[in-house]
Amino acid sequence: MKLAYNVATTKENATLEQDLEFCEKHGFDYVEIQMWKLPAYLEKHTLDDLAEFFRTNHLKLLSLNALEFFNNRSKEDEEQIIQTFKEWLEIGKKLGAQYIVAVPNITEEKFLHKDIKDSCVELLREFSDLARPYGIKVAFEFIGHPQATVNTFKQGYEIVQEVNRDNVGLVLDCFHFHGMGSRLVDLKQADGSKIFLLHIDDADDYPIGIVRDEDRCWPGHGVIDLDGIFSTLKEIGFHGEVCSIELFRPEYYKMNPEEVIKSSKETMVDVISKHYEIEEPINQ
Ligand code: ZN
């Protein structure tokens, strides 16, 4: 399994330049870029500079994160979201991205399951059509939050099954899996090839539905049943090509960013290596 770093983990304490430098230095294979880090980078560089970085270093771009809140929106909002998606496809093509991550609507408004599913399927199929000529895949990430319209593995998986396209799959974020009490029995019944991306993290011991992104912590330091998730992923034939660490913990934003990136790698390796073989970059 190869190792990826999601730059959210150093949201407030590293620029994209620093993330890239330290990830390369500490032997990550891939990076997931949160698009809100890009404008600051582009004040001093161009997209061509970034493409050149990925061409000339070991580190490659895994995904662009995250196209937000796309389902059950007004027509105008939907058009804007599709426009953003098109722009990201161009950026992704230039940078060699493999995936664009899309996340469901989070809202206090109540929608019935059927209406959520219909809207998600329609939009994800449209993304699929748009992304196909670019060779970029769409990774749909359910969010383990009570007000997320798609908030369990089972619900997300059913949507991806219904979409039924080879370039649309799921992101399994262990935090989101835990956050609304997704069940291993549902994961066990899934086809592992429909899971495109795996986000690793852990969480403080708050009740289901209460735990939030800021409670994410180093893999192995919290209460998420990571061994249960990883061993089930193996059983269902998850390809195990890459796993990405993604934390949003304010405490870690106060640390030296290089230390965060080093600790990220060490803690994720401790958990993953019990289940998957980790390929170290040759220059390590
Ligand atoms: Zn995630």
Side-chain angles (χ1 to χ4, degrees), residues 141 171 173 176 199 216 246:
E141 183 167 17
V171 181
D173 183 315
H176 293 312
H199 286 172
R216 293 178 182 225
E246 183 192 35

